[in-house]
Amino acid sequence: QDMVLQNGFEVQVQIGGTKVREYQAPEVKLDDGVELFEEVKPDCYVESDLFTKSSYSMPMKEMYCGGVEESSWPVTPYTVKVFNHTGSAAWVKLEIDGVQTNNKRHSSYGNVVQPGGSRVFEGFELDDGTREFLFSLPRFAKDETDRLDKSRHKDVGIIKVTTWSADFVEETMKRPVASAGTDFQSANKKDAHKVTKGKSLMSTTQAGKHIAGARAKDPYALTKVSVYDVGDKLAEVRISYKMDHVLEGMGITLEKAKR
């Protein structure tokens, strides 16, 4: 299968450390009610498989219609690996469903990846630590006000990687910046209905189990950091994740792999 490569930057969605199969969408118009919902055509599609060897059943307790709904849904942890095949360092920013996944106070441009190196993004950096990325079904809406901002609708179901050139300035000692986790809210069933215009069930991403604790906040500790200037934008890769029946409805023949 072809790699997702743009201007020397390769992006992989991985489940259990294994690359997820990538697919290209057919260029034909579909007449079976399935539509391409993206305003911008993605570079490829991947299956958000909820039944892999890495999947597990996650208990959920949600507020719904004034009461509490208890259920257990299948979820699949995944990671995003970015390779820098160029000869220069680069800032790499990962956004999922329209939300930057790393600590914005640390850097609004993401993380620096060295030439020939790679970076594995494992989860959302939240106030209480890093929590894994999960493919999941949409949650229930808590009430009529529980909706994503309309500006995010075009990005639900999209994994987006953007890179910029990073010019090294200096190494210096700095005190740690106070933690400020990313502001992530997963799409609910009402949001998904609007995104797909009611024509298809869609998967979303949720924040799962903790995979790393919150960083220590010692106001007097000094840490050696490398300072970089942000240069020109180099690449932007968009990967759309969808459930198997949606991909098949688009005319894509899936190749199931054991993960």
Side-chain angles (χ1 to χ4, degrees):
Q1 61 185 18
D2 295 334
M3 65 177 69
V4 181
L5 183 66
Q6 188 178 122
N7 293 338
F9 296 93
E10 178 187 355
V11 181
Q12 294 182 3
V13 178
Q14 298 186 344
I15 295 177
T18 300
K19 178 182 177 181
V20 177
R21 179 70 161 87
E22 297 147 358
Y23 303 94
Q24 297 298 318
E27 296 292 341
V28 297
K29 287 289 185 181
L30 306 174
D31 58 5
D32 59 359
V34 177
E35 296 181 356
L36 305 184
F37 307 120
E38 294 85 6
E39 294 183 9
V40 179
K41 184 178 178 181
D43 294 280
C44 73
Y45 294 85
V46 297
E47 180 190 355
S48 50
D49 193 347
L50 300 180
F51 301 98
T52 73
K53 291 182 178 180
S54 300
S55 304
Y56 62 90
S57 184
M58 184 168 73
M60 296 189 180
K61 185 180 292 185
E62 301 178 292
M63 295 297 297
Y64 177 61
C65 294
V68 178
E69 177 79 16
E70 293 190 35
S71 59
S72 183
W73 292 3
V75 294
T76 301
Y78 70 93
T79 58
V80 179
K81 189 170 185 178
V82 181
F83 298 85
N84 180 1
H85 296 304
T86 74
S88 304
W91 286 103
V92 177
K93 178 170 73 173
L94 171 65
E95 297 169 272
I96 294 179
D97 291 0
V99 177
Q100 183 174 337
T101 63
N102 75 296
N103 186 319
K104 292 183 181 180
R105 284 192 193 171
H106 178 64
S107 171
S108 59
Y109 288 93
N111 304 86
V112 172
V113 180
Q114 297 300 325
S118 64
R119 163 88 185 199
V120 178
F121 294 84
E122 297 182 300
F124 294 101
E125 293 183 14
L126 304 175
D127 287 332
D128 59 352
T130 302
R131 296 174 63 184
E132 61 189 356
F133 302 135
L134 293 179
F135 285 139
S136 173
L137 295 172
R139 60 183 176 83
F140 286 112
K142 298 175 183 177
D143 52 43
E144 291 303 315
T145 65
D146 180 16
R147 300 289 187 274
L148 294 184
D149 188 279
K150 289 183 180 180
S151 64
R152 278 186 59 191
H153 285 183
K154 68 181 186 304
D155 295 314
V156 175
I158 296 293
I159 297 168
K160 177 181 171 183
V161 172
T162 310
T163 64
W164 294 266
S165 60
D167 299 319
F168 179 76
V169 177
E170 63 177 353
E171 280 193 344
T172 185
M173 301 297 291
K174 286 189 174 182
R175 293 188 173 89
V177 178
S179 177
T182 187
D183 182 20
F184 180 75
Q185 178 185 2
S186 62
N188 59 46
K189 294 180 182 294
K190 297 289 186 181
D191 296 318
H193 187 272
K194 288 185 178 180
V195 171
T196 65
K197 301 178 178 65
K199 294 185 178 181
S200 176
L201 177 66
M202 75 179 301
S203 54
T204 61
T205 291
Q206 293 200 38
K209 298 176 182 176
H210 285 89
I211 54 179
R215 291 184 301 171
K217 305 179 184 62
D218 182 350
Y220 302 104
L222 291 175
T223 304
K224 181 184 289 187
V225 297
S226 297
V227 179
Y228 291 82
D229 278 341
V230 179
D232 296 331
K233 182 177 176 180
L234 302 174
E236 180 179 295
V237 176
R238 297 171 63 90
I239 298 176
S240 174
Y241 62 88
K242 295 183 181 295
M243 300 181 71
D244 54 358
H245 68 278
V246 178
L247 294 174
E248 290 169 346
M250 291 167 54
I252 293 173
T253 301
L254 299 180
E255 296 181 11
K256 293 289 186 177
K258 294 182 180 179
R259 290 189 287 270

